[in-house]
Amino acid sequence: MTNMFKKSLVALAIASASTGAMAADLATGTVTRNVSTEYLEVAPAGTLTSNAVVLELGAEYAVNDVITLTFTGGDALDVDSLPPFVTVAAAAPEKGITVGLISTSVENGTTKANYRVTDVTGGATDTTTGITLDFGTLDFDSTKAANGINVAFSAVTNTGLNLDTAGGALRNEDLFAIDDQFEITIDTALDEVIDVEDERETFVGALTADQLVFTAAETAAFDLSADVDGVDYSVAGNFSWVKDTDANTAGIQATVGTFAVTATGAAVCTAPVVTATALTFSCDVLDQITVDIDTGPQGSDVVLPAGTFGVDTNVQYSFVGGTDSDKDLDRAAAGAWTLNGSETFIPYMPYSRDDLSNISQIIYVTNSGTQSGEISVDVISADGTTTNLSNADLGGILAAPGVTKLTGPIVDALTDAGLLTGGSSTKQFALNIVVNDANDVISVYSAYNVNGSDRGWVQNDSVVVNRAKN
């Protein structure tokens, strides 16, 4: 009796180990297909075929139990692609089983396929736990798959009770994962510091070169994706410092060696086209791109502007038998050239032409530090032309500790540069005040008078940028 009791405990333990640890598993055998949104856009409208939908049972099933596969994704499933029967032969210790499709339904874009267990075969001690049902590949309408397709499993007994409820996340799987196909990442940003000690003609350390490296690539390994036909790049920034070596040719013809564009891989790229605000070029395929910028070949009298850079990317793509399209990627921040000094931008300042005196300016620099710094000014005319007034042009004026008036030196330098001669009676400029001193100790006050009584205060960015440090 005792021995029989022990054998019963052993048999129970074996049965528990073979069934209790199992769970319904749809995710392991069902492999997701990755599809790009660009493919769905340009591929011929029609069918997306999934990988095989594979379900491993995790409980004991009997005739008339019902297995339900639920497909989300905008009523995309072609129900005619569902197999009418799935049969697995008995192979001890697993039983054999046959399930047959009894109904399908669609509600709110969700399709349910119900399979009834029609036959269970095998030995009395065999089990349905661990049986793998392969429903094969299924077809979906590609025009309804933009948000992806998921399949989930559930089951009930022939009396309506929930069956095979364990498994958690393994009970569902994405048949199609949809994602944008292209991305751009910045590998090495532009980051040099313009040296005010060298009249802003070089970077700190007497350097003249900087390098930008970025990669345009696919976001994942796609099973279905669009074909790349070309990529246009635009490095946005302030390139007004670039000298034009040929005034008779449209655009800016930079000195040889100022710009170089190279690809790490197989991409073939065009020569860059330069404007005051961008550096543009095209490549035939996605790749890692290096843009070398060297101000040295232009000579030593180029005044470099501080500012930020970004990379704009447009990818052209298509699919055989489909259509052509293109996409602008989000701008990628590509670094900045900064200044080892103070820079204050005055967006508007009126001046009188020639000897007219009805407009006067009020421009002061306040230095709360303990050292004096040279002052230079960039003058931007109404047509966008920039004139650099060096410290020598301004009579060698310094921003000494305390308050320094800039009004007179700027007017004299504008006159000497011929910027106040001829044309309309009032000249409008924007002024960029550069001081060779720490950024957080310099502030600028800017205003003007008309006819000696009507004062107009001009908001500049010294309060926003220079003074609000933390």
Side-chain angles (χ1 to χ4, degrees):
M1 187 71 174
T2 302
N3 189 45
M4 182 179 295
F5 179 70
K6 289 181 177 179
K7 289 182 178 180
S8 298
L9 289 178
V10 172
L12 181 61
I14 293 175
S16 297
S18 64
T19 61
M22 299 299 293
D25 185 347
L26 185 62
T28 300
T30 305
V31 179
T32 302
R33 297 198 80 184
N34 293 318
V35 181
S36 75
T37 54
E38 289 80 2
Y39 170 85
L40 294 177
E41 179 188 1
V42 299
T47 300
L48 282 177
T49 300
S50 72
N51 287 317
V53 177
V54 180
L55 168 66
E56 183 176 341
L57 302 179
E60 290 299 320
Y61 284 77
V63 172
N64 291 327
D65 291 345
V66 175
I67 293 171
T68 299
L69 299 178
T70 301
F71 300 88
T72 59
D75 183 24
L77 174 64
D78 177 2
V79 295
D80 291 336
S81 67
L82 290 165
F85 291 95
V86 177
T87 299
V88 177
E94 293 176 357
K95 294 181 178 181
I97 193 171
T98 297
V99 298
L101 181 64
I102 57 173
S103 67
T104 61
S105 62
V106 178
E107 184 176 354
N108 297 325
T110 296
T111 303
K112 292 182 180 291
N114 299 307
Y115 282 84
R116 181 172 65 86
V117 178
T118 60
D119 191 23
V120 177
T121 61
T125 59
D126 291 340
T127 178
T128 61
T129 298
I131 290 177
T132 297
L133 297 176
D134 188 340
F135 293 85
T137 61
L138 303 179
D139 294 335
F140 296 82
D141 185 343
S142 64
T143 65
K144 299 178 180 179
N147 294 320
I149 305 292
N150 180 272
V151 58
F153 156 83
S154 62
V156 294
T157 67
N158 52 26
T159 59
L161 299 176
N162 289 332
L163 173 67
D164 206 353
T165 57
L170 295 177
R171 297 169 66 84
N172 71 85
E173 177 70 335
D174 290 330
L175 291 180
F176 298 98
I178 313 298
D179 197 3
D180 291 339
Q181 185 172 341
F182 308 113
E183 66 180 356
I184 181 169
T185 55
I186 303 299
D187 305 307
T188 304
L190 296 166
D191 62 355
E192 289 297 336
V193 179
I194 300 166
D195 193 358
V196 294
E197 295 282 357
D198 193 26
E199 300 295 332
R200 293 182 290 156
E201 294 176 359
T202 63
F203 303 119
V204 171
L207 301 177
T208 62
D210 201 359
Q211 185 179 79
L212 169 65
V213 183
F214 60 86
T215 301
E218 294 192 346
T219 59
F222 287 96
D223 299 297
L224 296 171
S225 60
D227 300 321
V228 176
D229 299 320
V231 192
D232 295 334
Y233 300 104
S234 179
V235 181
N238 186 348
F239 294 97
S240 61
W241 52 271
V242 182
K243 290 182 178 180
D244 189 0
T245 62
D246 185 355
N248 297 319
T249 301
I252 299 175
Q253 313 306 308
T255 304
V256 174
T258 303
F259 300 104
V261 174
T262 55
T264 299
V268 177
C269 302
T270 63
V273 175
V274 187
T275 68
T277 58
L279 184 72
T280 60
F281 56 93
S282 300
C283 301
D284 57 345
V285 295
L286 302 171
D287 208 338
Q288 183 182 65
I289 305 298
T290 298
V291 179
D292 287 297
I293 302 175
D294 192 349
T295 67
Q298 296 192 109
S300 61
D301 59 342
V302 173
V303 177
L304 302 176
T308 59
F309 297 91
V311 177
D312 296 320
T313 305
N314 176 271
V315 184
Q316 301 95 52
Y317 50 91
S318 62
F319 195 80
V320 176
T323 59
D324 300 334
S325 189
D326 68 282
K327 176 178 286 187
D328 291 323
L329 307 187
D330 291 339
R331 173 174 289 187
W337 285 351
T338 55
L339 195 70
N340 63 343
S342 170
E343 192 172 36
T344 301
F345 185 69
I346 302 173
Y348 172 78
M349 187 59 64
Y351 285 83
S352 293
R353 186 193 69 201
D354 302 322
D355 297 327
L356 298 177
S357 59
N358 61 310
I359 299 176
S360 60
Q361 301 73 41
I362 309 168
I363 304 174
Y364 289 91
V365 174
T366 299
N367 184 351
S368 62
T370 59
Q371 297 180 353
S372 298
E374 293 183 351
I375 301 174
S376 59
V377 178
D378 301 324
V379 180
I380 300 94
S381 301
D383 63 0
T385 302
T386 299
T387 302
N388 304 114
L389 304 179
S390 68
N391 184 250
D393 294 331
L394 296 170
I397 190 170
L398 301 177
V403 178
T404 300
K405 187 176 181 179
L406 277 181
T407 307
I410 293 177
V411 170
D412 292 342
L414 289 173
T415 301
D416 293 342
L419 295 177
L420 299 182
T421 300
S424 61
S425 60
T426 301
K427 309 288 188 179
Q428 293 86 23
F429 301 105
L431 305 177
N432 191 50
I433 312 298
V434 179
V435 181
N436 184 6
D437 208 334
N439 191 47
D440 58 357
V441 302
I442 299 297
S443 62
V444 175
Y445 178 84
S446 50
Y448 62 91
N449 272 323
V450 179
N451 297 320
S453 59
D454 184 10
R455 173 176 291 193
W457 175 71
V458 179
Q459 180 174 341
N460 60 63
D461 63 3
S462 69
V463 173
V464 176
V465 177
N466 295 349
R467 302 301 297 167
K469 289 302 174 184
N470 297 304

